[in-house]
């Protein structure tokens, strides 16, 4: 990974790693690598990038801490959607990186589910979003059929 960051000339991220901390449970994370060159700009060719490499800046990213920092501590009573983030290998196998809530609501016809495959730097991620049963408020549940019956008779 470090060599590929230097040779590519761009920020690179490791595959998922387990970080182990004393007296804490293992945490899923990534290492982010940013290559540095003597001229501060990446040379044009791989060979020149390797010769001009000065070092790497790296940062461990604990995914739970990152997502909880962005969205706040999970609160099942206030949030109406759940999401999961998976790392996808080249063979299509997936590894769970983050799950907002370890909660699977019963499947309902009106439950909304969405899945998106995206790239995060040099990694492929799958993001799955699903609504909770309380996604639609009582007003939504009453108003939608009422408006439909008025509009379409």
């Amino acid at each position: 990974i470090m060599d590929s960051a230097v040779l590519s000339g761009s920020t690179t991220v490791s595959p998922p790693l387990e970080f182990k901390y004393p007296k804490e449970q293992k945490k899923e994370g990534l290492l982010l690598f940013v290559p540095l060159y003597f001229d501060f700009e990446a040379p044009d060719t791989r060979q020149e990038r390797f010769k001009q490499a000065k070092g790497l800046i790296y940062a461990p990213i604990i995914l739970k801490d990152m997502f909880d920092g962005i969205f706040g501590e999970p609160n099942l009573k206030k949030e109406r959607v759940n999401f999961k983030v998976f790392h996808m290998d080249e063979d299509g196998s997936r590894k769970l990186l983050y799950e907002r809530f370890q909660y699977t609501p019963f499947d309902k016809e009106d439950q909304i589910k969405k899945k998106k495959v995206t790239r995060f730097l040099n990694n492929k991620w799958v993001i799955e979003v699903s609504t909770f049963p309380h996604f639609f408020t009582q007003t939504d549940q009453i108003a939608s059929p009422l408006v439909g019956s008025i509009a379409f008779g």
Side-chain angles (χ1 to χ4, degrees), residues 76-82 103 105-106 108-113 129-141 144:
L76 194 53
K77 291 181 180 180
K78 291 184 178 180
E79 296 180 54
R80 296 179 181 206
V81 296
N82 191 19
Y103 170 81
F106 54 93
K108 290 178 55 176
E109 286 182 23
D110 60 351
Q111 183 182 22
I112 300 168
K113 296 179 181 180
V129 179
S130 60
T131 59
F132 288 133
H134 60 280
F135 177 77
F136 293 106
T137 65
Q138 191 171 15
T139 304
D140 294 334
Q141 293 171 354
S144 297

Side-chain angles (χ1 to χ4, degrees), residues 19-103:
F19 292 95
K20 298 177 185 177
Y21 295 95
K23 299 180 183 177
E24 288 186 37
Q25 44 181 240
K26 299 173 189 170
K27 294 184 178 184
E28 289 291 330
L30 310 165
L31 283 175
L32 191 72
F33 295 99
V34 180
L36 292 175
Y37 302 95
F38 284 104
D39 294 336
F40 293 104
E41 287 187 31
D44 292 333
T45 67
R46 291 171 59 93
Q47 188 176 14
E48 282 300 310
R49 286 185 213 126
F50 192 75
K51 285 181 187 175
Q52 294 290 324
K54 187 174 185 178
L56 287 165
I57 297 173
Y58 72 95
I61 299 172
I62 306 298
L63 295 167
K64 180 176 179 3
D65 295 346
M66 180 183 80
F67 285 117
D68 288 354
I70 293 169
F71 299 109
E73 286 295 319
N75 186 330
L76 194 53
K77 291 181 180 180
K78 291 184 178 180
E79 296 180 54
R80 296 179 181 206
V81 296
N82 191 19
F83 70 95
K84 299 177 185 179
V85 179
F86 298 87
H87 175 268
M88 182 184 283
D89 286 326
E90 294 302 318
D91 65 2
S93 62
R94 302 183 332 173
K95 178 177 180 161
L96 181 64
L97 299 177
Y98 178 81
E99 183 174 22
R100 184 72 174 157
F101 297 98
Q102 292 182 347
Y103 170 81

